[in-house]
C-alpha cells in the first residue's frame, strides 16, 4: 500500500500553524491529505492549485462528499499511514480516532505550536483538550513535535512524555521577489503582524511608537496587519488617537501571506512584543528573510530566531527603551547606508540558511 500523510488541523486560516503546514506539505514524501475541522473564508484561496487532497468536517459547510470521503479514509487507515495532528483540539480528535481504530496500527504525531496555555488566554475548548491530553492520552502518540525548546520544556513539566518529544523548527521561503525595496534613504517603515489580542501586547507597541515619535522622529510609517486591525475597531483607533500616532499608522487588516511578505520587503524593522504564549514566532523569521530587523520580547525561542540581527526586550520593558532601539536602527539607515545594506544582506542569508523549508521537511520525512 502507498504511504499517506494525513493532517488534521482546525482550519487553514492565516495562523502560524496553518501557514507552516501549507509550506511544508509540498516538500513531504508520499501522498498528503488535509482535514480541517471548520472552514474559513481563506480556505478556497489557500488550497487553489494544491497537490494535496482536502476534506472539511465543518458542521455547517461540509458536503455529503466530504463526509463520505472522511469515513472512507477512516476505514482505510493502515500501518503505512501517518496521522499528523496540529494544535490541541486536533491532537485530541486524532487521539480519539487512534483509540477507536486501534487495530489499524497507524502512526500518530502530535504537533504543539505554542508554549503552555492558561484558560484565561485561549479558548475553553483548547484548554480542555490540553488538560485531557497531558493527563490521560500522553501515551498514545508515537512522537510529539514542538517548534521550540521552550515549548517542549514547559509541556514536559506539565506531564508530556520526554522520551517522545523533540523539536523541529518552523521552515520558511520567500514569497515576494521584490528587489532592493529598502533603497529610499529617507523613509522608515515599521511593521507589526499580529491579531488584535491581549497576548500581543498592543499597549506596549503603541506606547513605544508614541515615545519614538515624540523624542526622535515624526517621519515614519507603522504598518499593522492582522485580524481585527481595521478602522471598525474603536478600541484600536481610540488608542492610536490618544497617543498621537494615528497619522503614522496604516491599518491593513488580515492579509494573505504573499501580501504580508511584500510589506516585510518594504519594511526596515518588525515588532513583536507579546506577553506570553509564543513558541516559535513565525513573523520574526519571515521578516528576517527580507532583511527586516526584529525587536521582540524574550518569549519562546525568539532569542534563537533573532540571534545577533535584532534586539530582545523583557515583556514588561520600558516603552522608552524600545523607542531608543527603534531610533538606533533609524540612525544606522540614515547615517551609514553602506553598513545598513550589508547588515540587510547578512540578515537575509542567516534566516534563509537556518530556517530553510527544505531542511525542515527533511526532518519530517525522516522522523520515523
Amino acid at each position: 500500500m502507498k504511504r499517506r500523510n494525513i493532517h488534521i488541523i482546525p482550519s487553514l486560516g492565516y495562523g502560524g500553524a496553518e501557514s507552516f503546514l501549507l509550506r511544508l506539505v509540498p516538500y513531504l514524501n508520499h501522498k498528503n491529505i488535509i482535514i480541517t475541522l471548520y472552514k474559513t473564508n481563506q480556505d478556497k484561496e489557500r488550497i487553489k492549485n494544491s497537490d494535496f487532497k482536502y476534506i472539511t468536517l465543518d458542521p455547517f459547510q461540509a458536503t455529503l462528499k466530504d463526509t463520505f470521503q472522511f469515513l472512507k479514509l477512516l476505514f482505510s487507515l493502515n500501518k503505512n499511514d501517518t496521522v499528523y495532528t496540529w494544535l490541541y483540539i486536533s491532537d485530541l480528535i486524532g487521539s480519539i480516532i487512534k483509540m477507536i481504530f486501534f487495530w489499524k496500527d497507524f502512526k500518530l504525531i502530535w504537533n504543539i505550536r505554542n508554549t503552555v496555555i492558561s484558560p484565561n488566554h485561549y479558548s475553553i475548548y483548547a484548554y480542555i483538550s490540553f488538560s485531557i491530553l497531558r493527563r490521560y492520552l500522553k501515551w498514545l502518540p508515537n512522537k510529539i513535535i514542538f517548534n521550540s525548546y521552550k515549548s517542549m520544556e514547559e509541556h514536559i513539566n506539565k506531564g508530556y512524555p520526554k522520551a517522545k518529544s523533540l523539536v523541529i523548527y518552523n521552515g520558511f521561503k520567500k514569497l515576494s521577489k521584490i528587489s532592493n525595496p529598502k533603497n529610499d534613504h529617507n523613509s522608515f517603515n515599521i511593521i507589526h503582524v499580529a491579531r488584535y489580542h491581549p497576548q500581543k501586547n498592543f499597549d506596549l507597541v503603541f506606547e513605544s511608537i508614541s515615545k519614538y515619535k515624540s523624542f526622535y522622529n515624526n517621519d515614519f510609517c507603522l504598518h499593522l496587519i492582522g485580524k481585527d486591525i481595521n478602522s471598525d475597531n474603536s478600541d484600536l483607533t481610540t488608542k492610536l488617537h490618544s497617543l498621537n500616532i494615528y497619522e503614522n499608522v496604516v491599518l491593513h487588516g488580515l492579509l494573505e501571506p504573499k501580501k504580508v511578505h511584500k510589506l516585510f520587503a518594504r519594511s526596515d524593522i518588525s515588532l513583536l512584543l507579546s506577553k506570553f504564549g509564543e513558541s516559535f514566532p513565525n513573523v520574526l523569521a519571515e521578516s528576517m528573510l527580507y532583511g527586516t530587523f526584529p525587536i521582540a520580547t524574550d518569549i519562546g525561542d525568539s532569542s534563537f530566531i533573532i540571534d545577533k540581527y535584532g534586539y530582545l526586550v523583557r515583556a514588561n520593558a520600558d516603552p522608552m527603551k524600545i523607542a531608543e532601539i527603534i531610533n538606533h536602527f533609524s540612525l544606522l539607515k540614515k547615517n551609514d547606508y553602506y553598513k545598513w545594506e550589508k547588515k540587510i544582506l547578512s540578515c537575509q542569508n542567516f534566516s534563509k540558511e537556518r530556517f530553510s523549508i527544505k531542511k525542515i521537511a527533511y526532518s519530517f520525512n525522516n522522523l520515523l
Side-chain angles (χ1 to χ4, degrees):
M1 287 186 175
K2 290 184 177 180
R3 295 182 180 274
R4 298 180 297 184
N5 302 313
I6 299 161
H7 306 273
I8 303 176
I9 192 165
S11 77
L12 287 182
Y14 290 150
E18 298 88 339
S19 296
F20 173 62
L21 174 58
L22 291 176
R23 286 195 302 272
L24 177 67
V25 161
Y27 298 93
L28 292 180
N29 298 334
H30 316 304
K31 181 179 181 179
N32 287 277
I33 302 167
I34 294 182
I35 300 167
T36 63
L37 305 182
Y38 62 92
K39 201 171 185 178
T40 69
N41 295 329
Q42 293 84 43
D43 283 28
K44 185 176 180 180
E45 178 64 29
R46 301 272 263 171
I47 66 175
K48 186 172 65 176
N49 302 321
S50 62
D51 58 357
F52 57 80
K53 188 180 182 68
Y54 170 82
I55 301 170
T56 184
L57 303 180
D58 190 308
F60 301 105
Q61 299 192 60
T63 63
L64 286 175
K65 182 180 178 181
D66 286 316
T67 304
F68 175 76
Q69 287 180 328
F70 178 64
L71 292 174
K72 183 179 177 180
L73 177 64
L74 289 181
F75 286 99
S76 71
L77 287 168
N78 63 80
K79 65 180 181 179
N80 291 316
D81 294 327
T82 301
V83 175
Y84 293 91
T85 56
W86 300 80
L87 309 178
Y88 296 129
I89 295 173
S90 299
D91 294 341
L92 179 59
I93 289 173
S95 299
I96 293 170
I97 294 172
K98 178 76 170 176
M99 288 189 291
I100 294 174
F101 295 92
F102 64 91
W103 71 91
K104 289 184 172 289
D105 201 28
F106 61 87
K107 293 168 282 294
L108 175 65
I109 298 176
W110 292 351
N111 280 274
I112 313 295
R113 319 309 291 179
N114 53 266
T115 49
V116 167
I117 67 173
S118 70
N120 298 326
H121 299 135
Y122 286 81
S123 75
I124 188 64
Y125 302 108
Y127 188 75
I128 290 172
S129 299
F130 164 67
S131 300
I132 294 171
L133 291 164
R134 74 182 182 92
R135 287 189 174 94
Y136 307 114
L137 302 180
K138 58 189 177 184
W139 55 274
L140 271 171
N142 298 81
K143 295 286 184 182
I144 306 173
I145 299 175
F146 299 87
N147 62 358
S148 79
Y149 282 97
K150 180 68 172 178
S151 173
M152 183 173 72
E153 178 185 346
E154 289 188 3
H155 281 82
I156 289 172
N157 289 338
K158 289 293 184 179
Y160 278 63
K162 183 176 182 180
K164 294 184 177 184
S165 300
L166 74 157
V167 172
I168 301 179
Y169 286 111
N170 291 353
F172 305 91
K173 65 176 182 178
K174 281 189 173 184
L175 300 180
S176 173
K177 296 182 179 179
I178 297 176
S179 59
N180 299 321
K182 309 176 199 288
N183 59 2
D184 185 349
H185 289 50
N186 298 315
S187 67
F188 194 70
N189 287 285
I190 305 167
I191 189 168
H192 182 261
V193 182
R195 70 190 188 282
Y196 196 70
H197 186 278
Q199 175 195 2
K200 303 301 182 179
N201 210 357
F202 275 84
D203 287 342
L204 180 57
V205 173
F206 296 156
E207 288 169 13
S208 301
I209 293 296
S210 179
K211 295 289 186 184
Y212 173 67
K213 180 176 181 177
S214 298
F215 287 89
Y216 297 112
N217 183 17
N218 187 48
D219 186 18
F220 68 93
C221 183
L222 172 64
H223 299 273
L224 297 178
I225 301 102
K227 184 179 179 182
D228 297 323
I229 304 294
N230 53 60
S231 57
D232 293 331
N233 185 336
S234 59
D235 183 63
L236 168 64
T237 55
T238 297
K239 288 177 180 177
L240 294 175
H241 280 295
S242 67
L243 292 167
N244 191 34
I245 57 174
Y246 185 85
E247 294 77 10
N248 298 89
V249 173
V250 178
L251 304 175
H252 293 274
L254 192 62
L255 296 178
E256 62 161 316
K258 189 171 183 178
K259 291 181 179 179
V260 176
H261 278 230
K262 286 183 177 180
L263 286 169
F264 282 145
R266 288 173 49 196
S267 298
D268 299 294
I269 64 171
S270 64
L271 299 177
L272 188 70
L273 304 179
S274 301
K275 293 180 181 178
F276 57 84
E278 301 287 1
S279 175
F280 185 103
N282 288 338
V283 295
L284 300 181
E286 285 180 300
S287 68
M288 289 169 66
L289 281 174
Y290 299 93
T292 302
F293 306 110
I295 302 171
T297 43
D298 193 4
I299 304 291
D301 276 17
S302 294
S303 61
F304 177 79
I305 299 170
I306 290 174
D307 199 78
K308 63 181 180 181
Y309 296 96
Y311 280 86
L312 288 173
V313 297
R314 301 188 314 274
N316 61 346
D318 182 347
M320 193 64 207
K321 172 65 176 177
I322 298 171
E324 291 171 1
I325 296 170
I326 295 172
N327 189 54
H328 163 78
F329 284 112
S330 178
L331 290 177
L332 178 62
K333 180 178 182 180
K334 183 178 180 180
N335 297 333
D336 194 341
Y337 201 74
Y338 175 73
K339 184 176 180 180
W340 175 257
E341 287 189 314
K342 284 185 65 177
K343 192 175 178 71
I344 286 174
L345 183 60
S346 181
C347 180
Q348 290 173 335
N349 291 336
F350 169 81
S351 188
K352 180 181 177 181
E353 287 298 316
R354 177 168 281 189
F355 305 116
S356 163
I357 187 64
K358 291 183 180 180
K359 289 182 180 179
I360 302 305
Y362 179 85
S363 298
F364 273 83
N365 285 325
N366 291 277
L367 190 59
L368 300 172

